Amino acid sequence: MKRDFLHITDFTRDEIDEVLELSARLKKDTREGTSHLLLQGKTLAMIFQKPSARTRVSFETGMYQLGGHALFLSPADIGMGKRETTADIARLFSRYNDIIMARVFDHQHILDLGKYAAIPVINGLTDFNHPCQVMSDIFTVLEHRGHLNDLKVVFVGDGNNVAHSWFKLAQRIPMELIIACPEGFEPDENVVKETQETGLSSVSVSYDSYSAAAGADVIYTDVWASMGQEEEAAERKKIFEPFQVNTELMTAAGDQAYFMHCLPAHRGDEVTDEVIDGSQSIVFDEAENRMHVQKAIMVYLMGAA
């Protein structure tokens, strides 16, 4: 039976651990120059409604390193839901390709791709969630801490798609997860409630980033205005200014806290240069790990591990 990766909760905790172990092995091979042509002769269709340098380069390079080939499809190449239904695209690509990765606006599009495709579908990002990013994030945390026990993560900023995936992860890995955000910018209440009801993690919303940050193992932030919210950027900047991650906030968190950001960063807005370039920042390890983890997800879904 084919498997998709549309939400982190598509994997059990044991499966997440398997993917993280596979990620470590593939990263070690890559660093040592050892080839792993686990998807030789396979093709990946990459559908991009939203542009992204990191997503394209990491998936395309990763598929090449696995011995396969990736095809980039821009909005000019494919009008999903406009020129052609998502269901028809899913059925068609299932005849051409071995796996689909899509980075789209409407979450329903990724759900429809998964429903109608006969091949694995990977969610490269939707307006609702970003599971590949947060799988890469937790792999990076594991690398640096050596374990995931007694983990406290504080997400500072907008309750956006990345925040939603952190809440989904908290349904699989026990942690204390706090989102510190301005009033009116909380994450989806159903996602928070669903996470609370699992009883696995302690999750909450705070309106004071400094009190939330105390004792955190991870301080995480993202842009204040996501793609598609450009017209709101100036107003959001005023609202989110008290939630900037700066030296004072990292001091409040403590020396044990790592700083993370999914990039691209708007330096001087959600984070200062001193923090993102500082000794507690693991941002570029996190960015590199997107490729290794995404390779592991593709190999796992294809049953080629």
Side-chain angles (χ1 to χ4, degrees):
M1 186 178 73
K2 74 111 174 180
R3 296 284 304 275
D4 298 320
F5 186 62
L6 310 183
H7 312 90
I8 283 179
T9 47
D10 288 339
F11 288 164
T12 65
R13 171 63 194 268
D14 286 345
E15 289 174 326
I16 288 172
D17 288 341
E18 287 180 47
V19 171
L20 296 180
E21 288 172 13
L22 179 57
S23 302
R25 177 162 65 85
L26 295 178
K27 181 174 183 177
K28 183 174 182 288
D29 286 351
T30 302
R31 290 285 183 89
E32 294 176 350
T34 303
S35 64
H36 40 241
L37 306 181
L38 300 172
L39 297 183
Q40 192 162 20
K42 304 298 184 182
T43 59
L44 165 70
M46 304 189 301
I47 300 171
F48 280 81
Q49 286 184 335
K50 285 189 174 188
S52 170
R54 273 154 301 282
T55 300
R56 179 179 179 181
V57 172
S58 57
F59 268 107
E60 196 164 326
T61 303
M63 193 60 174
Y64 172 79
Q65 291 177 355
L66 290 167
H69 178 69
L71 301 93
F72 171 75
L73 296 153
S74 74
D77 300 311
I78 185 168
M80 194 156 60
K82 296 178 181 177
R83 286 186 307 193
E84 200 166 4
T85 68
T86 306
D88 284 353
I89 289 167
R91 294 183 182 108
L92 178 64
F93 283 16
S94 296
R95 304 291 183 101
Y96 292 151
N97 305 111
D98 300 287
I99 192 163
I100 296 169
M101 184 282 296
R103 182 179 167 91
V104 300
F105 288 93
D106 188 344
H107 191 66
Q108 189 60 47
H109 283 162
I110 203 75
L111 297 179
D112 289 344
L113 284 172
K115 179 178 179 180
Y116 293 104
I119 59 177
V121 175
I122 295 174
N123 180 353
L125 174 143
T126 71
D127 281 347
F128 175 71
N129 69 343
H130 197 354
C132 287
Q133 178 64 56
V134 174
M135 278 287 284
S136 305
D137 295 338
I138 201 64
F139 176 63
T140 309
V141 172
L142 178 60
E143 278 190 322
H144 282 269
R145 290 182 82 231
H147 62 87
L148 298 177
N149 301 328
D150 302 317
L151 179 64
K152 178 178 179 180
V153 177
V154 178
F155 189 104
V156 181
D158 189 22
N160 62 11
N161 50 4
V162 179
H164 290 160
S165 282
W166 270 105
F167 276 89
K168 289 283 189 180
L169 184 65
Q171 296 175 28
R172 292 290 182 264
I173 296 176
M175 66 180 75
E176 180 182 359
L177 175 61
I178 303 174
I179 178 164
C181 62
E183 289 191 54
F185 294 89
E186 300 87 352
D188 183 277
E189 62 181 17
N190 290 325
V191 175
V192 177
K193 183 180 178 183
E194 178 185 88
T195 308
Q196 290 170 332
E197 288 176 348
T198 66
L200 185 66
S201 297
S202 168
V203 297
S204 59
V205 176
S206 171
Y207 302 107
D208 180 351
S209 58
Y210 282 82
S211 62
D217 298 294
V218 174
I219 297 293
Y220 198 111
T221 195
D222 193 4
V223 295
W224 292 337
S226 298
M227 201 174 296
Q229 297 175 329
E230 288 81 4
E231 292 183 2
E232 305 172 28
E235 183 62 25
R236 279 173 169 259
K237 186 172 182 176
K238 296 175 188 174
I239 295 169
F240 279 90
E241 193 170 1
F243 292 84
Q244 182 186 70
V245 180
N246 49 35
T247 302
E248 291 76 21
L249 185 64
M250 293 304 295
T251 300
D255 292 342
Q256 79 292 334
Y258 293 108
F259 171 71
M260 303 183 77
H261 192 306
C262 55
L263 299 181
H266 294 170
R267 290 166 176 256
D269 286 348
E270 74 271 8
V271 63
T272 62
D273 286 342
E274 292 78 13
V275 170
I276 197 169
D277 294 328
S279 60
Q280 291 171 273
S281 174
I282 54 174
V283 163
F284 291 100
D285 291 340
E286 175 189 3
E288 177 192 345
N289 284 337
R290 278 283 298 277
M291 183 177 73
H292 305 301
V293 171
Q294 288 165 180
K295 286 165 66 175
I297 292 168
M298 289 192 288
V299 168
Y300 193 82
L301 293 178
M302 294 293 289

